[in-house]
Coordinates of all heavy atoms in Angstrom, one line a residue:
A15 N 116.8 130.4 90.2 CA 116.6 131.6 89.4 C 117.4 131.5 88.0 O 116.8 131.8 87.0 CB 117.1 132.8 90.1
P16 N 118.6 131.0 88.0 CA 119.3 130.9 86.7 C 118.6 130.1 85.6 O 118.4 130.6 84.5 CB 120.7 130.4 87.0 CG 120.9 130.8 88.5 CD 119.6 130.7 89.1
P17 N 118.2 128.8 85.9 CA 117.5 128.1 84.9 C 116.2 128.7 84.5 O 115.7 128.6 83.3 CB 117.3 126.7 85.5 CG 117.5 126.9 86.9 CD 118.5 128.0 87.1
L18 N 115.5 129.3 85.4 CA 114.2 130.0 85.1 C 114.5 131.2 84.1 O 113.7 131.4 83.2 CB 113.5 130.5 86.4 CG 112.9 129.4 87.2 CD1 112.4 130.0 88.5 CD2 111.7 128.7 86.5
R19 N 115.6 131.9 84.4 CA 115.9 133.0 83.5 C 116.3 132.5 82.1 O 115.9 133.1 81.1 CB 117.1 133.8 84.0 CG 116.7 134.7 85.2 CD 117.8 135.8 85.4 NE 119.1 135.2 85.8 CZ 119.5 135.0 87.0 NH1 118.7 135.3 88.0 NH2 120.6 134.4 87.3
E20 N 116.9 131.3 82.0 CA 117.3 130.7 80.7 C 116.0 130.3 80.0 O 115.9 130.5 78.8 CB 118.2 129.5 81.0 CG 118.6 128.8 79.7 CD 119.4 129.5 78.7 OE1 119.8 130.7 79.1 OE2 119.7 129.0 77.7
M21 N 115.0 129.8 80.7 CA 113.8 129.4 80.1 C 113.1 130.6 79.5 O 112.5 130.6 78.4 CB 112.9 128.6 81.0 CG 113.3 127.2 81.3 SD 113.1 126.2 79.8 CE 111.3 126.1 79.6
E22 N 113.1 131.7 80.3 CA 112.5 132.9 79.8 C 113.2 133.5 78.6 O 112.6 134.1 77.7 CB 112.4 134.0 80.9 CG 111.4 133.8 82.0 CD 110.0 133.9 81.4 OE1 109.8 134.6 80.4 OE2 109.0 133.2 81.9
R23 N 114.5 133.3 78.6 CA 115.3 133.8 77.4 C 114.9 133.0 76.2 O 114.6 133.6 75.1 CB 116.8 133.6 77.7 CG 117.7 134.1 76.5 CD 119.1 133.9 76.8 NE 119.5 132.5 76.7 CZ 119.8 131.9 75.5 NH1 119.8 132.6 74.4 NH2 120.1 130.6 75.4
L24 N 114.7 131.7 76.3 CA 114.3 130.8 75.2 C 112.9 131.2 74.8 O 112.6 131.2 73.6 CB 114.5 129.4 75.6 CG 115.9 128.9 75.8 CD1 115.9 127.4 76.3 CD2 116.7 129.0 74.6
R25 N 112.0 131.4 75.7 CA 110.7 131.8 75.4 C 110.6 133.0 74.6 O 109.9 133.1 73.6 CB 109.9 132.0 76.7 CG 108.4 132.2 76.5 CD 107.7 132.9 77.6 NE 108.2 134.2 77.8 CZ 107.9 135.3 77.1 NH1 107.0 135.1 76.1 NH2 108.4 136.4 77.3
A26 N 111.4 134.0 75.0 CA 111.4 135.3 74.2 C 112.0 135.1 72.8 O 111.5 135.7 71.9 CB 112.3 136.3 75.0
L27 N 112.9 134.2 72.6 CA 113.5 133.9 71.3 C 112.4 133.3 70.4 O 112.3 133.6 69.2 CB 114.7 133.0 71.4 CG 116.0 133.6 72.0 CD1 117.0 132.6 72.2 CD2 116.5 134.7 71.1
V28 N 111.7 132.3 71.0 CA 110.6 131.7 70.2 C 109.5 132.7 69.9 O 108.9 132.7 68.8 CB 110.1 130.4 71.0 CG1 108.9 129.9 70.3 CG2 111.2 129.4 71.1
A29 N 109.1 133.5 70.9 CA 108.0 134.5 70.7 C 108.4 135.4 69.6 O 107.5 136.0 68.9 CB 107.8 135.2 72.0
A30 N 109.7 135.7 69.3 CA 110.1 136.6 68.3 C 110.1 136.0 66.9 O 110.4 136.7 65.9 CB 111.4 137.2 68.6
L31 N 110.0 134.7 66.8 CA 110.0 134.0 65.5 C 108.8 134.4 64.6 O 107.7 134.6 65.1 CB 110.1 132.5 65.7 CG 111.3 131.9 66.3 CD1 111.2 130.4 66.6 CD2 112.6 132.2 65.5
P32 N 109.0 134.4 63.3 CA 107.9 134.7 62.4 C 106.8 133.7 62.5 O 107.1 132.5 62.6 CB 108.5 134.7 61.0 CG 110.0 134.9 61.2 CD 110.3 134.3 62.6
G33 N 105.6 134.1 62.6 CA 104.4 133.2 62.7 C 104.1 132.7 64.1 O 103.1 132.0 64.2
V34 N 104.8 133.2 65.1 CA 104.5 132.8 66.5 C 103.8 133.9 67.1 O 104.3 135.0 67.3 CB 105.8 132.4 67.3 CG1 105.5 132.1 68.7 CG2 106.5 131.2 66.6
A35 N 102.6 133.7 67.6 CA 101.8 134.7 68.2 C 101.9 134.7 69.7 O 101.8 135.7 70.4 CB 100.3 134.5 67.9
R36 N 102.3 133.5 70.3 CA 102.4 133.4 71.7 C 103.3 132.3 72.1 O 103.2 131.2 71.4 CB 101.0 133.2 72.3 CG 101.0 133.0 73.8 CD 99.5 132.9 74.3 NE 99.4 132.7 75.8 CZ 98.3 132.7 76.4 NH1 97.1 132.8 75.8 NH2 98.3 132.5 77.8
A37 N 104.2 132.5 73.0 CA 105.1 131.4 73.5 C 105.0 131.4 75.0 O 105.1 132.4 75.7 CB 106.5 131.6 73.0
E38 N 104.9 130.2 75.6 CA 104.8 130.0 77.0 C 105.8 128.9 77.4 O 106.3 128.2 76.6 CB 103.4 129.7 77.5 CG 102.4 130.7 77.1 CD 102.5 132.0 77.9 OE1 103.3 132.1 78.9 OE2 101.9 133.0 77.5
I39 N 106.1 128.8 78.7 CA 106.9 127.8 79.3 C 106.2 126.9 80.3 O 105.2 127.3 80.8 CB 108.2 128.3 79.9 CG1 107.9 129.1 81.2 CG2 109.0 129.2 78.9 CD1 109.1 129.6 82.0
A40 N 106.7 125.7 80.5 CA 106.1 124.8 81.4 C 107.1 123.7 81.8 O 108.1 123.5 81.1 CB 104.8 124.1 80.9
F41 N 106.8 123.0 82.9 CA 107.7 122.0 83.4 C 107.0 120.7 83.7 O 105.9 120.7 84.3 CB 108.4 122.5 84.7 CG 109.2 123.7 84.4 CD1 108.7 125.0 84.8 CD2 110.5 123.7 83.9 CE1 109.4 126.1 84.6 CE2 111.2 124.9 83.6 CZ 110.6 126.1 84.0
S42 N 107.5 119.6 83.2 CA 106.8 118.3 83.5 C 107.1 117.8 84.9 O 106.3 116.9 85.4 CB 107.3 117.3 82.4 OG 108.7 117.0 82.6
E43 N 108.2 118.2 85.5 CA 108.5 117.8 86.9 C 108.3 119.0 87.8 O 107.3 119.7 87.7 CB 109.9 117.1 86.9 CG 110.0 115.8 86.2 CD 111.3 115.1 86.5 OE1 112.0 115.4 87.4 OE2 111.6 114.2 85.7
Q44 N 109.3 119.3 88.6 CA 109.2 120.4 89.5 C 109.5 121.7 88.8 O 110.4 121.9 88.0 CB 110.2 120.2 90.7 CG 109.9 121.2 91.8 CD 110.8 120.9 93.0 OE1 111.7 120.1 92.9 NE2 110.6 121.6 94.1
G45 N 108.6 122.7 89.1 CA 108.8 124.0 88.5 C 107.5 124.7 88.3 O 106.5 124.0 88.2
T46 N 107.5 126.0 88.1 CA 106.3 126.8 87.9 C 106.5 127.6 86.7 O 107.5 128.3 86.5 CB 106.1 127.8 89.1 OG1 106.0 127.0 90.3 CG2 104.8 128.6 88.9
P47 N 105.5 127.5 85.7 CA 104.2 126.8 85.9 C 104.4 125.3 85.5 O 105.2 124.9 84.7 CB 103.3 127.4 84.9 CG 104.2 127.9 83.8 CD 105.5 128.3 84.5
A48 N 103.7 124.4 86.3 CA 103.6 123.0 85.9 C 102.9 122.9 84.6 O 102.1 123.7 84.2 CB 102.9 122.2 87.0
L49 N 103.2 121.8 83.9 CA 102.6 121.5 82.6 C 101.0 121.7 82.6 O 100.4 122.3 81.8 CB 103.0 120.2 82.1 CG 102.3 119.7 80.7 CD1 102.6 120.6 79.6 CD2 102.8 118.3 80.4
R50 N 100.4 121.1 83.6 CA 99.0 121.1 83.7 C 98.4 122.5 83.9 O 97.4 122.9 83.3 CB 98.5 120.2 84.9 CG 97.0 120.0 84.9 CD 96.6 119.0 86.0 NE 95.2 118.6 85.8 CZ 94.6 117.8 86.7 NH1 95.3 117.2 87.6 NH2 93.3 117.5 86.5
H51 N 99.1 123.3 84.7 CA 98.6 124.7 84.9 C 98.8 125.5 83.6 O 98.0 126.4 83.3 CB 99.4 125.3 86.1 CG 99.1 124.6 87.4 ND1 100.0 124.7 88.4 CD2 98.1 123.9 87.8 CE1 99.5 124.0 89.4 NE2 98.3 123.5 89.1
A52 N 99.9 125.3 82.9 CA 100.2 126.1 81.7 C 99.1 125.7 80.6 O 98.6 126.6 80.0 CB 101.6 125.8 81.2
L53 N 98.8 124.4 80.5 CA 97.8 124.0 79.6 C 96.4 124.5 80.0 O 95.6 124.9 79.1 CB 97.7 122.5 79.5 CG 98.7 121.8 78.6 CD1 98.7 120.3 78.9 CD2 98.5 122.1 77.2
D54 N 96.1 124.6 81.2 CA 94.8 125.1 81.7 C 94.7 126.5 81.3 O 93.6 126.9 80.8 CB 94.7 125.0 83.2 CG 93.4 125.5 83.8 OD1 92.4 124.9 83.5 OD2 93.5 126.6 84.4
A55 N 95.7 127.3 81.4 CA 95.7 128.7 81.0 C 95.4 128.9 79.5 O 94.7 129.7 79.0 CB 96.9 129.5 81.4
L56 N 96.1 128.0 78.7 CA 95.9 128.1 77.3 C 94.5 127.6 76.8 O 94.0 128.2 75.9 CB 97.0 127.2 76.6 CG 98.5 127.8 76.8 CD1 99.5 126.8 76.3 CD2 98.6 129.1 76.0
V57 N 94.0 126.6 77.5 CA 92.6 126.2 77.2 C 91.7 127.3 77.5 O 90.7 127.6 76.7 CB 92.3 124.9 77.9 CG1 90.8 124.5 77.7 CG2 93.2 123.7 77.4
T58 N 91.8 127.9 78.7 CA 91.0 129.0 79.1 C 91.0 130.1 78.1 O 90.0 130.8 77.8 CB 91.4 129.5 80.5 OG1 91.2 128.4 81.4 CG2 90.5 130.7 80.9
A59 N 92.2 130.4 77.5 CA 92.4 131.5 76.5 C 91.8 131.1 75.2 O 91.7 132.0 74.3 CB 93.9 131.8 76.4
G60 N 91.3 129.9 75.0 CA 90.7 129.5 73.7 C 91.7 129.3 72.6 O 91.3 129.5 71.4

Side-chain angles (χ1 to χ4, degrees):
L18 288 171
R19 284 197 298 268
E20 177 68 2
M21 284 294 291
E22 282 297 333
R23 183 183 73 86
L24 295 174
R25 186 202 64 77
L27 289 173
V28 171
L31 293 175
V34 175
R36 178 175 181 176
E38 302 292 347
I39 64 173
F41 302 97
S42 64
E43 294 190 14
Q44 189 175 10
T46 302
L49 174 58
R50 189 174 190 181
H51 296 156
L53 278 171
D54 179 71
L56 292 170
V57 172
T58 299

